[in-house]
Amino acid sequence: SQQGEEDPQALSIQEGENATMNCSYKTSINNLQWYRQNSGRGLVHLILIRSNEREKHSGRLRVTLDTSKKSSSLLITASRAADTASYFCATDGRGTGANSKLTFGKGITLSVRP
Amino acid sequence: DAMVIQNPRYQVTQFGKPVTLSCSQTLNHNVMYWYQQKSSQAPKLLFHYYDKDFNNEADTPDNFQSRRPNTSFCFLDIRSPGLGDAAMYLCATRLGLVVYETQYFGPGTRLLVL
């Protein structure tokens, strides 16, 4: 069964605005990761947050994790047209070592208008 | 630069004609994954290798096979492609020793079945 569920499914904003994307999941996790995928391309890893962390920053990205609510959010500040892409959350379950696996959500399509 | 390479980027095959997709990596990672991603859907894990150990997902059709002749290369074989197998196929690698390691994705191979 699918682990991550992103919300909203599609988001359209003006360049310079902030974009907030949410992800909910169902079972216990080791960590949660966010990936970006440009149209027709592979996935690019953005940020990883461990289950014992609540917030993490990387450049214009801010990720929060609430394990009690089984949810995460990705905030992109001061968005740019180049941020237009699909964004996926992926949960890394309770497997160990090489047997841990990512389960992806369906993704959020972000459009940033110039 | 170290990277994950997938060849070809686009593959056209005929219904029922066997096809092989290729993935190579210069990261010297122990784990290699194959995902299937259909349009507007989440990437779905088909199987993965930890070193030479093959791990098949329970719902991966028998039509899909994989080979890993050495650390650097991994192949996805589709024995008798059906129209429903048209998708983007993503290869990813992970060092594999620590659960918090991220996955590195190749650009993907888009398969079209005629």
Side-chain angles (χ1 to χ4, degrees):
Chain A
S1 62
Q2 189 166 294
Q3 173 73 311
E5 294 279 348
E6 293 97 339
D7 168 57
Q9 289 188 330
L11 182 61
S12 180
I13 58 174
Q14 199 74 32
E15 200 166 29
E17 294 179 339
N18 296 341
T20 299
M21 291 168 270
N22 302 301
C23 169
S24 60
Y25 58 92
K26 296 177 182 174
T27 61
S28 297
I29 60 172
N30 278 316
N31 63 75
L32 185 143
Q33 303 178 33
W34 285 90
Y35 286 80
R36 184 186 74 228
Q37 185 177 38
N38 290 87
S39 180
R41 308 287 294 185
L43 291 119
V44 174
H45 179 261
L46 295 176
I47 197 164
L48 179 153
I49 186 165
R50 301 186 182 196
S51 59
N52 61 354
E53 296 176 316
R54 292 296 166 257
E55 187 171 312
K56 202 161 184 182
H57 297 254
S58 176
R60 294 184 296 113
L61 305 180
R62 173 178 169 256
V63 169
T64 62
L65 179 64
D66 187 334
T67 53
S68 66
K69 295 181 179 178
K70 292 186 169 57
S71 67
S72 172
S73 67
L74 171 68
L75 169 68
I76 303 175
T77 60
S79 64
R80 305 167 183 168
D83 295 328
T84 295
S86 292
Y87 291 81
F88 293 86
C89 73
T91 52
D92 198 339
R94 288 293 186 183
T96 57
N99 289 321
S100 73
K101 298 180 289 189
L102 289 179
T103 305
F104 286 85
K106 288 185 178 180
I108 298 169
T109 301
L110 173 66
S111 298
V112 182
R113 303 185 301 273
Chain B
D1 290 342
M3 58 175 59
V4 181
I5 302 163
Q6 289 188 246
N7 286 307
R9 294 294 312 280
Y10 299 92
Q11 176 73 57
V12 181
T13 191
Q14 292 179 333
F15 182 93
K17 185 176 181 181
V19 66
T20 294
L21 308 183
S22 169
C23 177
S24 63
Q25 54 125 343
T26 60
L27 297 160
N28 205 31
H29 282 177
N30 293 299
V31 192
M32 294 186 78
Y33 304 86
W34 279 105
Y35 291 86
Q36 179 192 64
Q37 185 182 24
K38 296 186 177 179
S39 182
S40 301
Q41 294 188 20
K44 178 179 178 297
L45 182 64
L46 295 173
F47 26 59
H48 74 277
Y49 274 94
Y50 177 66
D51 195 13
K52 295 181 181 179
D53 291 333
F54 178 70
N55 297 271
N56 198 30
E57 292 301 297
D59 56 355
T60 298
D62 292 340
N63 199 24
F64 291 84
Q65 305 286 322
S66 186
R67 297 171 284 134
R68 189 178 186 186
N70 53 53
T71 300
S72 300
F73 285 87
C74 194
F75 300 100
L76 169 62
D77 300 308
I78 308 176
R79 292 192 296 189
S80 181
L83 298 179
D85 296 327
M88 174 77 89
Y89 290 87
L90 298 165
C91 174
T93 72
R94 190 165 73 91
L95 181 60
L97 300 179
V98 177
V99 71
Y100 296 117
E101 288 285 340
T102 61
Q103 291 189 20
Y104 295 83
F105 282 81
T109 294
R110 185 166 294 281
L111 178 68
L112 180 62
V113 182
L114 300 177

